C-alpha cells in the first residue's frame, strides 16, 4: 500500500508502540489478528492522506521562467509525471 518498505516498517513499529500502550484494553478484543490488520490498513490510509499532494503543473509553470530553459524544465517535469502514472 505504501510503496516503500521503510515507510511500512516505520508504520508497523509505530503501531506496535501504540498496541503496547493500549495493552490493558487488548483483552477485550475478540479477534486480535483482525484488529491489528485493520489498524495497519487505517494507519496506512492516514499516512497516504497526510503526504503532501504533488505540486500542480500550473504552479510549476508560474514558478519557471518564460524562457526556453523554463519550458524545458516544465516539459521534463511533465514527462516524469507521465512516466510515474500506472499502466
Amino acid at each position: 500500500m505504501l510503496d516503500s518498505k521503510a515507510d511500512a516498517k516505520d508504520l508497523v513499529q509505530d503501531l506496535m508502540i501504540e498496541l503496547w500502550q493500549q495493552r490493558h484494553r487488548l483483552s477485550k478484543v475478540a479477534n486480535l489478528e483482525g484488529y491489528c490488520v485493520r489498524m495497519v490498513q487505517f494507519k496506512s490510509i492516514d499516512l497516504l492522506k497526510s503526504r503532501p499532494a504533488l505540486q500542480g503543473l500550473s504552479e510549476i509553470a508560474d514558478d519557471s521562467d518564460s524562457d526556453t530553459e523554463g519550458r524545458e524544465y516544465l516539459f521534463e517535469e511533465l514527462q516524469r509525471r507521465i512516466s510515474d502514472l500506472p499502466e
Side-chain angles (χ1 to χ4, degrees):
M1 252 179 113
L2 300 177
D3 294 329
S4 167
K5 285 185 179 183
D7 286 346
K9 286 180 181 182
D10 288 343
L11 184 130
V12 170
Q13 186 176 20
D14 292 343
L15 215 63
M16 292 301 292
I17 292 170
E18 189 174 330
L19 285 169
W20 177 253
Q21 292 170 341
Q22 297 179 11
R23 65 188 177 276
H24 57 281
R25 291 190 229 163
L26 295 179
S27 61
K28 298 175 185 174
V29 175
N31 181 355
L32 188 58
E33 182 179 354
Y35 179 77
C36 291
V37 169
R38 293 301 277 175
M39 283 185 72
V40 168
Q41 290 173 337
F42 289 133
K43 292 287 185 181
S44 297
I45 291 169
D46 289 344
L47 180 63
L48 291 172
K49 285 182 181 178
S50 71
R51 290 182 178 167
L54 291 176
Q55 185 182 23
L57 291 177
S58 61
E59 293 173 14
I60 293 171
D62 292 341
D63 292 344
S64 64
D65 300 325
S66 60
D67 62 8
T68 307
E69 183 178 316
R71 289 182 191 162
E72 287 176 10
Y73 169 76
L74 184 59
F75 180 75
E76 289 171 6
E77 183 67 14
L78 180 60
Q79 291 295 339
R80 185 186 65 77
R81 289 186 183 197
I82 289 172
S83 69
D84 288 344
L85 291 173
E87 297 271 339

